[in-house]
Amino acid sequence: MEAETLTCSECGAENSLDADACLACGADVSASSGPLSKIPTSALLGGVALILLIVLGVLAKTLYTKSRPSSHTSSGLSYLEAGDHAKASKEFNAALKYDGRYEDAIVGLARVGAATGDEATIKKYAKLAIEALGKGSLRAQIRVAYAWTLLKEDKAREANNQAIEALDDDDAILGADALRGLSALRMTPPQEDDALLYLKKAANKEDQRPEIYPALSRLLLKRKGYEEGEGIANQGLALAKDDPELWLLLASHRRGRKNLQGEREALEAALKIDGKRADVHTQLSRVCLELKDPSGALVHAKKSAEIAPEDAMAQLALGRI
């Protein structure tokens, strides 16, 4: 069995294991006595290069992964500003595939939901977005959108609380007053004074939510605020001219103001939208009689009885003539 030796890295001569210097050339051979001494230099260099490549690859992948949510979110925001909500949503969702807690993408999706009225998106992302955002108009907008979904689920107190917080975030935010008013009406018991206060505020801000105006008009009718109620009904009809209930509210307010011709016109407008309302034909029959128009009264009384032959009020209208 051959004795182990040290190979001189300078001249290649073999030396004993305990040698400090090469016997052939005098070079120091003690540094070659470690565990890597027998591995060729080229192999060592290749191994180091491989390790560096692996490390660099891991770093590159990490940087790439971290940059993708930002890139997708930036694209999503551009689409959002351009009004392309479908593409914006796609980009924000792509960002969340890389990082499911990426806050800017979550806020982006909440904004898409608020802009489109997509209740599923709002319910999924609004609360997370509210937690991520600081005080300001954007958080207020998302709170308002979330509150409308709560109100539709008959969670009136929760909706009211979100509206209060929205006004604290931005006291000029549109929709919060309407939410407070409508929420007050759905509480148990209904808070009519609060409803009246906040629905009036919403109407004064010319809020475009059509449900504000019939609710406020009914409250004013109940309190005999006929002149104001007529104005509110007209405001609502500017947004929803095909809503027969608003025309009927308008008719009631005009009756309260003793404007019989105006009442007749409003009732006729309601029948143009829904001609099968026996109750409206009955009301028109009565108004026609009061306006000294018996032929018109007869037409509507007959129509009412035809639509609802078992209805006592319809038969009564016919009996008046």
Side-chain angles (χ1 to χ4, degrees):
M1 182 176 179
E2 293 184 5
E4 292 187 11
T5 60
L6 288 175
T7 303
C8 176
S9 60
E10 297 294 329
C11 68
E14 299 296 330
N15 295 273
S16 63
L17 289 176
D18 58 355
D20 292 324
C22 177
L23 293 174
C25 68
D28 184 10
V29 294
S30 60
S32 303
S33 60
L36 301 178
S37 61
K38 295 198 175 185
I39 301 175
T41 302
S42 60
L44 285 172
L45 291 173
V48 170
L50 180 60
I51 291 169
L52 284 172
L53 284 173
I54 292 171
V55 171
L56 289 172
V58 171
L59 287 173
K61 184 178 180 181
T62 301
L63 290 171
Y64 174 79
T65 301
K66 285 186 176 180
S67 69
R68 295 309 292 162
S70 175
S71 176
H72 281 296
T73 300
S74 179
S75 296
L77 289 171
S78 295
Y79 285 126
L80 188 60
E81 293 303 318
D84 193 334
H85 299 113
K87 287 184 179 178
S89 179
K90 183 178 179 180
E91 291 294 335
F92 292 137
N93 277 303
L96 291 180
K97 286 181 181 179
Y98 288 95
D99 182 353
R101 295 179 294 179
Y102 197 70
E103 290 183 349
D104 288 348
I106 289 170
V107 171
L109 282 166
R111 290 178 64 186
V112 169
T116 60
D118 184 340
E119 292 179 21
T121 299
I122 293 168
K123 285 192 283 188
K124 186 172 182 179
Y125 294 108
K127 287 183 74 174
L128 294 171
I130 290 166
E131 291 171 4
L133 287 166
K135 183 175 181 177
S137 61
L138 180 55
R139 188 168 73 174
Q141 290 170 26
I142 293 173
R143 282 192 189 279
V144 166
Y146 182 45
W148 283 115
T149 66
L150 292 170
L151 192 61
K152 285 185 178 180
E153 295 173 350
D154 289 325
K155 296 177 180 177
R157 291 199 180 275
E158 290 180 52
N160 186 59
N161 290 339
Q162 286 295 332
I164 292 170
E165 294 291 343
L167 286 166
D168 184 57
D169 282 337
D170 178 4
D171 60 7
I173 186 67
L174 204 61
D177 290 319
L179 279 161
R180 293 210 64 187
L182 294 171
S183 296
L185 284 176
R186 297 194 191 182
M187 289 182 188
T188 305
Q191 308 295 310
E192 290 191 356
D193 288 342
D194 285 347
L196 192 64
L197 171 66
Y198 287 105
L199 289 175
K200 281 186 178 183
K201 283 186 175 183
N204 288 338
K205 290 179 180 178
E206 297 185 352
D207 195 314
Q208 299 297 299
R209 299 288 301 206
E211 54 263 63
I212 295 167
Y213 300 96
L216 179 54
S217 187
R218 276 191 290 270
L219 276 173
L220 290 166
L221 184 63
K222 189 175 182 180
R223 299 186 179 207
K224 299 183 179 180
Y226 302 127
E227 183 176 357
E228 188 179 4
E230 182 175 347
I232 291 297
N234 277 318
Q235 235 180 304
L237 286 166
L239 297 172
K241 61 183 177 63
D242 293 329
D243 184 347
E245 295 306 318
L246 276 169
W247 284 109
L248 293 176
L249 283 164
L250 181 63
S252 296
H253 284 293
R254 285 177 173 175
R255 183 168 188 82
R257 299 184 70 192
K258 304 188 185 307
N259 177 2
L260 295 180
Q261 183 57 37
E263 180 187 6
R264 178 178 185 169
E265 290 169 1
L267 291 171
E268 288 172 344
L271 282 177
K272 285 180 181 178
I273 299 164
D274 183 0
K276 295 183 179 180
R277 292 280 300 264
D279 58 330
V280 181
H281 282 290
T282 298
Q283 289 179 63
L284 256 176
S285 177
R286 182 199 65 225
V287 174
C288 286
L289 277 178
E290 292 171 336
L291 289 170
K292 314 294 186 194
D293 179 9
S295 60
L298 182 61
V299 168
H300 288 293
K302 284 182 176 179
K303 191 66 177 176
S304 179
E306 178 187 323
I307 294 169
E310 305 300 323
D311 187 349
M313 294 302 295
Q315 296 300 324
L316 181 61
L318 194 58
R320 288 197 194 106
I321 302 164

